[in-house]
Amino acid sequence: MRALLILIVVLMIALVVGDRVGVVMAQNEIGRKIAAEYDLPQQPGVEIGGFPFLTQAVDGNYRTIDIRIGDWSGQNISVHNLDVALTDVSAPLSDVIANRTSNLVAGTATATALVPYDIVQSFAPAGVESISYTPEGLRATGTFSVAGISVPAIVFVTVAPTDAGIEVTPVSVRPAAGGPTISLALLRQALTFTVPLRQLPLGARLTAIQPGADGLHATAVAHDVRFDSLP
């Protein structure tokens, strides 16, 4: 009986080790292919959720796959801390082995990234000298032309996702120290601009933008992502 128990324990350890080896190999292969697909400077980190991995692989369905890309550039813009979470991934083992992507589908892809304020400012109209986060809201400071006169001012703005990217819109204005009062209506048209981040990798389109002390935290989502038609 003791020998049988030892054999069972050894077999269980072997299965666990084999499962972990399999998941590491799969994660490395996914990271390699994504790096090649998007011409990334380094291979992203990949974590396949759920245990055991081998039963998911045989079944062809994975609960979650998290991809940590880090810095990413595209659409003439650069972002930091890009992560993509895939859920309900269907990947039949026969298609994976044959390197076919026609039947590989993720139910949902959720991407998050940080857009630094210096990137946002690079798309701002002339006159904007800085964009920063304050407890009162997102603030743009600079010197703006009003009726042909350059006037320093502090402009508070909001950000929102649109089909064209991140839209930045003035909502209130304060005169700079010693400066004259400026009409918001005069500034709104001139200072409304768009940061052209329409989507993130895996076809995820912007759904939410949240200002933070370190930049704009962008969230993008895609549904029924087919891997053979990725942008």
Side-chain angles (χ1 to χ4, degrees):
M1 179 64 69
R2 182 177 180 183
L4 179 59
L5 290 175
I6 293 174
L7 178 60
I8 292 174
V9 170
V10 170
L11 288 175
M12 290 178 64
I13 292 174
L15 288 173
V16 171
V17 171
D19 186 86
R20 294 300 88 191
V21 170
V23 74
V24 169
M25 293 177 62
Q27 290 171 167
N28 286 337
E29 181 64 13
I30 292 171
R32 185 187 66 79
K33 289 186 176 181
I34 290 176
E37 177 71 22
Y38 291 99
D39 194 25
L40 301 177
Q42 61 184 13
Q43 183 171 310
V46 177
E47 182 176 350
I48 299 175
F51 181 84
F53 161 75
L54 293 179
T55 58
Q56 295 184 90
V58 172
D59 187 51
N61 291 292
Y62 302 84
R63 300 181 188 92
T64 61
I65 299 178
D66 294 324
I67 305 167
R68 297 176 299 280
I69 296 175
D71 292 343
W72 175 79
S73 296
Q75 307 167 50
N76 297 318
I77 190 173
S78 296
V79 302
H80 300 322
N81 304 336
L82 174 59
D83 294 334
V84 181
L86 306 178
T87 58
D88 299 326
V89 179
S90 175
L93 186 59
S94 58
D95 289 319
V96 174
I97 294 174
N99 201 27
R100 293 191 299 264
T101 60
S102 58
N103 293 323
L104 307 186
V105 182
T108 304
T110 302
T112 57
L114 177 70
V115 185
Y117 287 125
D118 60 343
I119 296 295
V120 178
Q121 185 181 340
S122 69
F123 293 97
V128 176
E129 298 169 359
S130 70
I131 296 177
S132 60
Y133 178 81
T134 73
E136 297 177 272
L138 198 57
R139 181 177 68 182
T141 60
T143 301
F144 311 105
S145 178
V146 178
I149 302 174
S150 294
V151 180
I154 299 170
V155 182
F156 287 90
V157 301
T158 59
V159 290
T162 69
D163 290 340
I166 304 172
E167 185 175 77
V168 183
T169 306
V171 291
S172 67
V173 58
R174 294 179 187 172
T181 300
I182 308 173
S183 168
L184 177 62
L186 293 176
L187 284 178
R188 189 185 296 273
Q189 185 174 1
L191 289 185
T192 297
F193 66 97
T194 300
V195 180
L197 181 65
R198 292 176 293 278
Q199 64 182 30
L200 291 170
L202 301 178
R205 295 188 172 274
L206 292 177
T207 57
I209 307 293
Q210 181 62 47
D214 50 354
L216 299 181
H217 295 258
T219 300
V221 177
H223 299 286
D224 297 324
V225 179
R226 305 195 67 87
F227 288 76
D228 60 346
S229 60
L230 293 177

